[in-house]
Amino acid sequence: MALTRRNLVAAGTAGAASLAALREARAQAATRWQFATPYADTNFHTRNVKAFVEDIQKATNGALQVQLHTNGSLLPMPQIKRGVQQGQVQLGEILISAYGNEDPFFELDGVPLLAPNFEAVVKLAAASRPFIEARFQRTGLAMLYNVPWPPGGFYSNAPIENLDALKGTRFRTFNTMTNRFATLVGANPTLVQAAEVPQAFATGVINAMVTSAATGVDSQAWDYCKVFTPVNFSYTNNVVFVGRRALEALPAAQRTAVMEAAKEAQARGLEMARASDKEAQDTLASRGLKIEQPSAALKEGLNRISATMTDEWVAKAGEDGKKLIDAYKAA
């Protein structure tokens, strides 16, 4: 066939069409994951999650796309773990201690003052991770990373000089450990999810709680409380995880990209948690909350409760739990 201008134009047009078709096919072939998370966009956990998603998509050149649903907009937190197990979503983020009813090892980081600072939290999380990973694997999940919350403090409308001040309060709980704590101090435990806290205070469903300064900022605690008492109550962990079937269906290079992004998110999240604690307390103070340092009587009462709850946890967790606690304390 003689080469003519018309033939060359036709060939070029066909080539461009083929290239466009190839690009479209690649776009259609991109794996798409759904990611359900429970916290507001302003929360440092959510900001870390967003960076995690961006890292995955960048490392896979867009071959793995992740659609993020924040603030419980797709699934409320109590439904996220099951949602990933059932394949409704591929990725999820939960407060692991909120699932303590399923297994004692999920609630360990909620024991008050067991890990009293960030350094201890990292050691406790490292010691307990193999147990959590094993339990996740048995239910079709793979743990990717964990990040602690800043330490919890009491929110109230009057100073809390000792634990007797909490007797009879309608005390907000969010996991089995806060529920047990409320019972031990004579408060009335009331389960309220983070997104519902302002309304619960406004309607009198609760009138006291223990949670991080970061959650206080997210829920604008200055609108319903007057006093924040930082007591390093607990540094509970959020866990980000994936359905094993979804992860194993990825090409090896994409699986590696996900795991590398998870390592980065864990390290970045820890630094964000450290920074968030001071930033959040400063914000609470600037908006009018009085920051009250805990009294000696309050500290003594919390240490007593901590010892009781640690012993109760070991009794539930059995020999593995005793070994874990002994190893953690030795470290």
Side-chain angles (χ1 to χ4, degrees):
M1 182 180 67
L3 288 177
T4 65
R5 180 179 179 84
R6 179 177 296 178
N7 289 337
L8 289 172
V9 170
T13 303
S18 297
L19 183 59
L22 179 60
R23 287 174 177 166
E24 183 177 356
R26 285 178 177 171
Q28 290 175 350
T31 301
R32 299 185 184 277
W33 280 0
Q34 303 298 316
F35 192 170
T37 70
Y39 298 104
D41 289 337
T42 54
N43 188 277
F44 80 92
H45 280 291
T46 305
R47 289 187 279 117
N48 191 34
V49 159
K50 289 180 177 179
F52 170 60
V53 168
E54 291 171 1
D55 287 347
I56 289 174
Q57 295 180 160
K58 182 178 180 181
T60 62
N61 294 316
L64 177 55
Q65 294 288 317
V66 181
Q67 184 173 359
L68 182 62
H69 305 270
T70 62
N71 205 32
S73 59
L74 182 61
L75 293 172
M77 189 171 67
Q79 297 177 22
I80 289 177
K81 184 168 177 284
R82 181 173 295 277
V84 178
Q85 287 172 320
Q86 295 178 340
Q88 187 176 355
V89 295
Q90 288 72 42
L91 288 161
E93 178 189 29
I94 58 173
L95 179 72
I96 186 66
S97 60
Y99 288 76
N101 284 328
E102 294 185 8
D103 193 284
F105 282 90
F106 291 166
E107 67 185 7
L108 175 60
D109 62 16
V111 177
L113 298 179
L114 177 59
N117 52 56
F118 277 110
E119 290 72 22
V121 168
V122 171
K123 292 178 181 178
L124 183 61
S128 60
R129 180 163 180 157
F131 296 94
I132 295 174
E133 286 181 330
R135 284 151 175 80
F136 270 37
Q137 288 176 3
R138 289 199 291 266
T139 57
L141 303 174
M143 182 175 168
L144 294 176
Y145 70 87
N146 64 280
V147 171
W149 282 88
F154 293 116
Y155 290 81
S156 59
N157 280 302
I160 298 176
E161 295 295 335
N162 53 53
L163 291 180
D164 287 342
L166 295 175
K167 286 183 178 179
T169 60
R170 296 179 295 279
F171 194 84
R172 179 246 174 169
T173 64
F174 52 85
N175 58 24
T176 54
M177 287 301 180
T178 49
N179 191 84
R180 179 60 178 153
F181 171 81
T183 301
L184 286 172
V185 300
N188 299 304
T190 306
L191 179 64
V192 176
Q193 297 300 322
E196 301 165 354
V197 163
Q199 183 179 5
F201 266 100
T203 56
V205 172
I206 56 176
N207 58 9
M209 68 177 178
V210 62
T211 193
S212 70
T215 298
V217 171
D218 285 346
S219 61
Q220 299 183 346
W222 47 85
D223 288 338
Y224 53 79
C225 281
K226 297 177 181 178
V227 181
F228 176 68
T229 308
V231 293
N232 289 6
F233 186 84
S234 63
Y235 296 68
T236 50
N237 278 266
N238 276 13
V239 170
V240 170
F241 55 98
V242 62
R244 287 180 60 192
R245 185 172 297 179
L247 182 64
E248 291 167 0
L250 294 176
Q254 292 183 23
R255 287 199 303 274
T256 298
V258 171
M259 302 311 293
E260 288 299 317
K263 288 180 183 178
E264 291 292 328
Q266 179 151 340
R268 179 177 57 238
L270 178 61
E271 294 310 308
M272 293 175 78
R274 292 176 184 273
S276 176
D277 186 29
K278 183 180 187 306
E279 292 171 3
Q281 284 199 43
D282 288 347
T283 299
L284 293 177
S286 71
R287 298 305 294 264
L289 259 74
K290 186 175 183 181
I291 310 298
E292 288 274 3
Q293 295 306 313
S295 67
L298 181 57
K299 290 180 180 179
E300 190 277 330
L302 286 169
N303 285 327
R304 187 176 65 251
I305 293 286
S306 176
T308 296
M309 292 179 67
T310 300
D311 290 344
E312 289 178 348
W313 183 85
V314 170
K316 285 193 295 182
E319 189 60 29
D320 279 348
K322 184 177 184 305
K323 290 178 182 177
L324 191 161
I325 293 296
D326 289 345
Y328 163 67
K329 289 185 174 179

